Amino acid sequence: VARTPTTSLSLVDRSVDLRCYIEKTKIKTNMILSSALRRGIRSTISSSRSTSLLAARNASTAATPSKGPGVPPNVLRSWYNIFGKSTAGYITWIVAGVLATEFVTGFGIDSLWASVNSGRTYDSVDWTKFKVEDDDDDEDDEEDEEEEGEGEGEGDDEDEDDEDDE
């Protein structure tokens, strides 16, 4: 009985199929190993995180003595009675705090700017050093202006008389 090429696999076809099977097996093995490695790393990290988070959570609730004097309870109580009980009071506290902080930082920055740029800005320059002592020219200019003013005044009167005649 003769076999047809469609029903039987040649030796080359079998070797190709075998190679594909081996490659797929290698890929699956690598995926399984990398997945296991990833899970192991994740569980190690999560267990160390959960331990540290649990310790941090318990440490925050534990009674620890303060390192400094802190804010006295009477001050906190009075602050709460004035600002903390209502939303309007709390908003007032925030707005006042922002304005005060803005004033302090603005004044501080302006002072720093003035000290760094001392003698370089218009306000900080001593203008008396640049004063010219030549007063003769000023007097001459004033006399010239007075003479011009007198001449113009006479001409203006004549123009007004002409207008009246019409």
Side-chain angles (χ1 to χ4, degrees):
V1 179
R3 292 186 180 178
T4 61
T6 57
T7 57
S8 69
L9 294 174
S10 67
L11 196 54
V12 173
D13 291 336
R14 286 184 185 171
S15 67
V16 169
D17 286 342
L18 185 61
R19 284 184 195 154
C20 288
Y21 176 76
I22 292 172
E23 286 297 319
K24 287 179 184 177
T25 307
K26 284 182 182 178
I27 291 172
K28 286 181 184 178
T29 306
N30 286 339
M31 287 176 55
I32 290 171
L33 290 176
S34 65
S35 176
L37 180 63
R38 226 176 299 131
R39 285 184 189 149
I41 291 172
R42 284 182 185 161
S43 66
T44 304
I45 290 172
S46 67
S47 67
S48 66
R49 277 188 188 170
S50 65
T51 305
S52 64
L53 288 175
L54 184 61
R57 187 177 303 140
N58 291 336
S60 66
T61 58
T64 57
S66 65
K67 295 182 172 131
V71 180
N74 292 334
V75 173
L76 291 176
R77 194 173 300 115
S78 63
W79 178 89
Y80 180 77
N81 288 333
I82 296 169
F83 298 109
K85 278 188 175 180
S86 68
T87 303
Y90 189 68
I91 296 293
T92 303
W93 169 260
I94 290 174
V95 169
V98 167
L99 291 175
T101 304
E102 181 66 28
F103 176 76
V104 169
T105 55
F107 180 77
I109 296 293
D110 288 344
S111 299
L112 179 67
W113 178 266
S115 68
V116 169
N117 293 311
S118 178
R120 297 180 193 165
T121 60
Y122 183 81
D123 294 335
S124 63
V125 172
D126 184 16
W127 293 105
T128 59
K129 294 178 182 177
F130 301 104
K131 188 174 182 181
V132 178
E133 295 294 330
D134 190 19
D135 291 336
D136 294 336
D137 292 338
D138 293 337
E139 292 173 5
D140 294 339
D141 291 340
E142 289 176 6
E143 291 173 5
D144 291 340
E145 289 175 3
E146 289 175 5
E147 290 174 3
E148 290 175 5
E150 291 173 4
E152 290 175 2
E154 293 171 5
D156 291 340
D157 293 338
E158 292 174 5
D159 291 338
E160 289 177 9
D161 292 337
D162 293 338
E163 291 174 2
D164 291 338
D165 294 338
E166 292 175 10

